[in-house]
Amino acid sequence: EVKLVESGGGLVKPGGSLKLSCAASGFTFSSYAMSWVRQTPEKRLEWVASISSGGSTYYPDSVKGRFTISRDNARNILYLQMSSLRSEDTAMYYCARRYGSSYYFDYWGQGTTLTVSS
Amino acid sequence: DIVLTQSPASLAVSLGQRATISCRASESVDSYGNSFMHWYQQKPGQPPKLLIYRASNLESGIPARFSGSGSRTDFTLTINPVEADDVATYYCQQSNEDPYTFGGGTKLEIK
């Protein structure tokens, strides 16, 4: 059974940093691209970052230069390092497995919440 | 960025009837003979769940009551017949062009 478990969320002041983790199990982690998707308090879904099985990374302009996605294939863990945080980064952050070359998200974790507020 | 506009924002359907949700893209999401449009269901307190991929392909384990259709810029998710368990918010997502984008969601309720 595919399982994705996020952790590391919390309350951070504007300009601060935080690192999220996602522990994966039930599939060959190193063979799949992985992504982070966030859901704002208004329930809007936003793709945040992706990393290929080979380690190539992709970001939308809204987080480029501030967020860094990485992976540890030996420990089956996905990370999202976030810096220069803004109030608009407040959201539930989901780890998701990205499927093949069609780039849809076939499995999602339960999410971890980030609140950016002074 | 490709903007996805879902309609309606909410709908109420009687049990056993058909629900139809539309997703319109600001530009074509078709490439190489495929439509890179996908549909998700999200129930309260849960993460999104994949229903349909590449416009019309039913994800494994999803009931055949769910179906998807469309191409280029106009796509439809149909639920027929609607069951009580289908109460949820439904989102479309395109992956034809970076950045991947989602529609604003359609909330389905039972009448």
Side-chain angles (χ1 to χ4, degrees), chain B residues 1-22:
Chain B
D1 298 3
I2 295 178
V3 175
L4 301 183
T5 303
Q6 287 186 233
S7 61
S10 64
L11 77 163
V13 177
S14 300
L15 292 173
Q17 298 303 300
R18 178 194 305 259
T20 302
I21 298 170
S22 170

Side-chain angles (χ1 to χ4, degrees), chain A residues 37 39 43 45-47 50 60 94 98 101-106 108-110, chain B residues 36 38 40 42 45-48 50 53-54 59 91 93 95 98-100 102:
Chain A
V37 178
Q39 187 164 37
K43 300 301 182 185
L45 288 166
E46 300 176 345
W47 165 66
S50 290
Y94 293 106
R98 194 189 78 182
S101 57
S102 291
Y103 296 2
Y104 54 84
F105 307 110
D106 62 347
W108 300 61
Q110 290 296 315
Chain B
F36 290 93
H38 322 295
Y40 301 86
Q42 186 178 31
Q46 296 184 20
L50 178 67
Y53 60 92
R54 290 200 305 274
E59 173 69 346
Y91 294 91
Q93 177 238 331
S95 60
D98 183 346
Y100 317 139
F102 290 84

